[in-house]
Amino acid sequence: MKNRLRKGISVLAASALTAVSFSSVMPANAASSSDSFPFVIEGENMEGASLWTQNYGPNPEGYSGEGFNYLTNDTASFTVNVPEDGMYTITVRAAQVLDKGGRVETVKVNGNKTSLNMPYSEEWMDLSFGNFRLKKGENLIEFPSEYGYMAIDKVTVDVAPKHDYSLATDVLSDKNATPETKALMSYLKSVYGSHIIAGQQEIYGGGHKNNYEWENEFLKNLTGEVPAIRGVDFMNYNPLYGWDDGTTERCIEWATKRNGIVTASWHINIPKDFDNYTLGEPVGWQECTYKNYQSGQGSLSFDTRNVVVKGTKEYDYFQLAMEDLAEQLLRLQEAGVPVIWRPLHEAQGNEGNYSDGTAWFWWGDRGAETYKEIWKLLYTTLTEKYGLHNLIWEYNSYDYSNSATWYPGDEYVDIVAYDKYNVEYNRGDGKSSGPNLLAIPAKFDSLYRLTNGKKMVAMAENDTIPALDNLLVEDAGWLYFCPWYDGGEDGGTAFLGENYQDYDELKKIYQSDYCITLDELPLDLYSTKEPVVIPDAPEIASIDYSEKYHQVRFTWKPVDGATNYGIAVYLAGKWRIQTQSIAASATTYTTPKNLTPGKTYKVAIAAKVNGQLTAEQAIKHAVTITVK
Ligand code: CA
């Protein structure tokens, strides 16, 4: 079995082995039949191709091989044999001299089509069709003629470069960020790219008969685990109907009592009849809206452009809304609770339904420039006027060609995020209904490139949680996922129902090492102490196996300067902290009893100078043992 774990596990050599052997890393599959990469095939040598040396227009000079293939009537194809599932680039050396405006050209990879606009070019150019997941073994690559008239000199298939997750910064945009906020950001960075954190949006405002734990209980029952991130919405704290549904208290409880992480969005309500609204007067929730004015459901009399113009009623209203919000965020700050803060979300519109300038929400309905001004106003007001320094600013982006123009800028943003909704539309998985398990690697890559990898990329909202295998193979290192709340009546069948979630896959990811759940967050998540110094792992002195109790006892040599040791054991599919602070005088540990002969176990030990062990720290020093 190929080891799919992405955690960095180093294997320690033991000095003594008694009835216990270390398993060695399995040699990579020889895969003698696979092609070598980059794999190059001449266009004229593809199946179904014909040999051309002249086309119907200006002739591109300097082909390689015998000539080129000209896509006219026949599909040209080839197969490529890859050693294991992974991401590959397909690049065509091509020319197109028929259409000055460009022509749509298509590649089919194992039957799935991808099209792009091939620009006019009288010379050979390298046209990248992007990254594709190829499966171990034979893969069929086809160029159907369709609109055609693309000259193909040669095609190159190569291993796609991996994202460099180490480029992401954990330095917050807010230079005055609180120690707890810095500690959380540092933790996020420590798991980014090697794990995904499980999140879940809660219902608010009395849903699920006021059981705000409904989603968590559902997930606990299904998977045995509870998500690490709690998603909330500060919508109900507003100057209009101002309803406290306990969101703030739940956030404080989640972070301080249950050691969880909080993320928050903010559906900012405005009065529909803004003309006749008197600032500060109550307005019933039915008379409020957060929709855009173009939809007919927003407010025609509220001009979003005025939100940033002093002296306007819109400006004054937004000041009031921020004041109400800040009151709650300050309570969180005073309680030592940082927030992954995602205001003004989905500004550029709900994918597939709207486009630039006709967004879901009023804050996006006047385009990118106004939007960025509002973002900056919110940022400076919350940080400077209200002294809020417990916020990790998360910006929702899309991957339209102009999405970068909406980005507020590195100095105002800490994390970029995408909201994945592809069950109803934009599926891309060849199905018409049911859960959509794609990891959407192209979207991830687009957001990664938005900041050249400098900001971590999260899936801030989603319907189906992507399949674990897709996330791992496709190098889609989303920081976390967070399905929207299950809004159905009587327990509901919405986002946690089987129309949206594949329960087998959901269990698989929740129970995997790759996914971090609530009990796997480090106990010092919000610690404001100096970082713990971890010396080298202790040297193992002996490993003994008790045939009577089927347990392993090992001893180690003391590490100079260590104040304590910690042990983690890999049992039942996940790392569990066994003990966090073994005294510095101790040099031995005995595993639980009744290990199964023939099975492989992992035990990790770390020496500490201060503080307690986290699984992350311990597994760097993991020992793999196979019980004989
Ligand atoms: Ca050629």
Side-chain angles (χ1 to χ4, degrees), residues 41-45 51-52 62-69 93 124 152-155:
I41 184 168
E42 292 294 334
E44 65 274 18
N45 293 340
L51 176 63
W52 295 66
Y63 49 74
S64 69
E66 303 294 313
F68 56 88
N69 177 55
R93 189 173 192 243
W124 297 116
I152 302 177
D153 179 21
K154 61 180 179 178
V155 183

Side-chain angles (χ1 to χ4, degrees), residues 274 302-319 322 344 362-363 366-381:
F274 195 67
F302 184 96
D303 188 336
T304 301
R305 291 169 295 192
N306 286 339
V307 165
V308 293
V309 180
K310 271 186 187 172
T312 66
K313 194 165 147 190
E314 287 89 344
Y315 179 90
D316 291 341
Y317 177 75
F318 194 62
Q319 294 291 321
M322 288 191 290
L344 307 169
W362 64 258
W363 48 88
R366 297 289 180 169
E369 294 312 310
T370 295
Y371 175 75
K372 287 186 283 192
E373 290 299 307
I374 297 174
W375 181 282
K376 289 169 190 173
L377 175 66
L378 179 67
Y379 190 103
T380 53
T381 305

Side-chain angles (χ1 to χ4, degrees), residues 170-190:
D170 62 354
V171 177
L172 289 155
S173 57
D174 179 3
K175 300 293 172 271
N176 298 313
T178 64
E180 291 87 357
T181 313
K182 287 180 182 169
L184 174 58
M185 188 68 173
S186 167
Y187 171 72
L188 296 176
K189 156 87 181 175
S190 76

Side-chain angles (χ1 to χ4, degrees), residues 258-367:
R258 300 183 70 183
N259 195 42
I261 298 170
V262 173
T263 183
S265 54
W266 187 35
H267 282 83
I268 316 160
N269 270 295
I270 55 175
K272 284 181 190 166
D273 184 4
F274 195 67
D275 268 348
N276 292 310
Y277 164 67
T278 305
L279 209 63
E281 287 295 304
V283 176
W285 65 267
Q286 304 93 329
E287 302 306 315
C288 302
T289 182
Y290 41 71
K291 299 280 177 64
N292 66 79
Y293 80 93
Q294 296 99 330
S295 67
Q297 298 167 299
S299 171
L300 284 171
S301 50
F302 184 96
D303 188 336
T304 301
R305 291 169 295 192
N306 286 339
V307 165
V308 293
V309 180
K310 271 186 187 172
T312 66
K313 194 165 147 190
E314 287 89 344
Y315 179 90
D316 291 341
Y317 177 75
F318 194 62
Q319 294 291 321
L320 273 188
M322 288 191 290
E323 186 182 350
D324 276 19
L325 171 77
E327 185 185 338
Q328 303 306 319
L329 296 177
L330 277 168
R331 290 173 61 201
L332 294 177
Q333 178 163 284
E334 281 159 15
V337 178
V339 180
I340 300 173
W341 172 235
R342 186 172 61 99
L344 307 169
H345 64 293
E346 296 179 7
Q348 211 187 351
N350 190 5
E351 184 178 11
N353 289 357
Y354 300 94
S355 59
D356 192 2
T358 42
W360 261 130
F361 301 119
W362 64 258
W363 48 88
D365 68 8
R366 297 289 180 169

Side-chain angles (χ1 to χ4, degrees), residues 444-496:
F444 179 88
D445 186 58
S446 175
L447 267 69
Y448 173 91
R449 283 187 283 107
L450 177 68
T451 69
N452 298 316
K454 283 193 302 248
K455 306 287 181 182
M456 290 184 275
V457 178
M459 185 178 282
E461 287 183 28
N462 56 285
D463 44 25
T464 311
I465 297 169
L468 176 64
D469 176 68
N470 290 343
L471 290 165
L472 294 181
V473 173
E474 297 170 12
D475 187 30
W478 303 100
L479 175 63
Y480 68 86
F481 59 75
C482 193
W484 201 241
Y485 62 78
D486 191 288
E489 297 299 318
D490 303 322
T493 55
F495 291 121
L496 290 177

